[in-house]
Amino acid sequence: MENITPYMPYIWIGFAVVMAVCEAATAQLVSVWFVIGAICAAIATIFTGSLIIQSLIFLTVSLVALIVTKPIVKKIKKNNKKVNTNSDRLVGQIGDVLFDIEDAQSIGQVKVMGEIWSARSDFAPIRKGTKIKVLAIEGVKLLVEQAQ
């Protein structure tokens, strides 16, 4: 163990970099605590050559960072609700077919809430003048079905 002691700062910093890359590659916080712990362990190498003390510092700091940041992360996730766009209000609305929707691959045209949209349906054909219900929005097209 004594022969790796001079390399421990580099090992801890390397571990911190690997954890930072893992964190950057994910959409959620999964390893940021280990980055903080590894940096503190790397700093500890200045004061001690003991791998056990460095490891305890790493584990302690990582755990404390997790405990301290957990309420903050929870609060952020709670406030990070889905934001509806103006077009989301169309889902569930009833409209009229302006141009026939022949089959699942063809695009027709519908009028919903005074707006004209391109539309497709997995339940085609739907003829002009038929009432439709908007199921979803896919890009710039509405996914519709015949209204009941």
Side-chain angles (χ1 to χ4, degrees):
M1 280 291 194
E2 291 300 320
N3 56 354
I4 67 164
T5 302
Y7 303 106
M8 285 312 296
Y10 305 110
I11 293 171
W12 286 117
I13 291 171
F15 186 70
V17 169
V18 168
M19 290 294 103
V21 169
C22 290
E23 183 66 41
T26 62
Q28 298 181 345
L29 294 175
V30 292
S31 62
V32 70
W33 308 282
F34 301 125
V35 173
I36 297 166
I39 290 170
C40 289
I43 292 168
T45 61
I46 297 169
F47 304 105
T48 182
S50 172
L51 184 58
I52 293 171
I53 293 174
Q54 293 170 22
S55 298
L56 285 173
I57 289 172
F58 166 74
L59 291 172
T60 304
V61 170
S62 296
L63 184 63
V64 168
L66 172 64
I67 291 169
V68 168
T69 59
K70 190 172 183 178
I72 297 167
V73 171
K74 224 178 207 181
K75 185 177 180 181
I76 291 170
K77 281 186 176 184
K78 182 180 173 185
N79 292 337
N80 200 9
K81 295 176 184 171
K82 181 184 174 194
V83 176
N84 291 334
T85 63
N86 289 336
S87 59
D88 288 335
R89 73 186 187 288
L90 296 174
V91 176
Q93 296 296 317
I94 304 296
D96 298 305
V97 177
L98 300 178
F99 291 98
D100 293 350
I101 304 171
E102 298 293 333
D103 56 36
Q105 286 75 37
S106 70
I107 304 297
Q109 217 172 43
V110 297
K111 186 173 187 177
V112 181
M113 295 179 67
E115 298 176 355
I116 298 174
W117 286 79
S118 296
R120 69 172 202 82
S121 177
D122 292 334
F123 307 99
I126 303 176
R127 301 288 171 221
K128 178 180 178 179
T130 306
K131 294 284 185 190
I132 52 90
K133 180 179 180 180
V134 178
L135 301 177
I137 300 173
E138 296 177 340
V140 295
K141 294 181 204 73
L142 300 181
L143 178 61
V144 299
E145 70 178 357
Q146 191 167 341
Q148 302 301 333

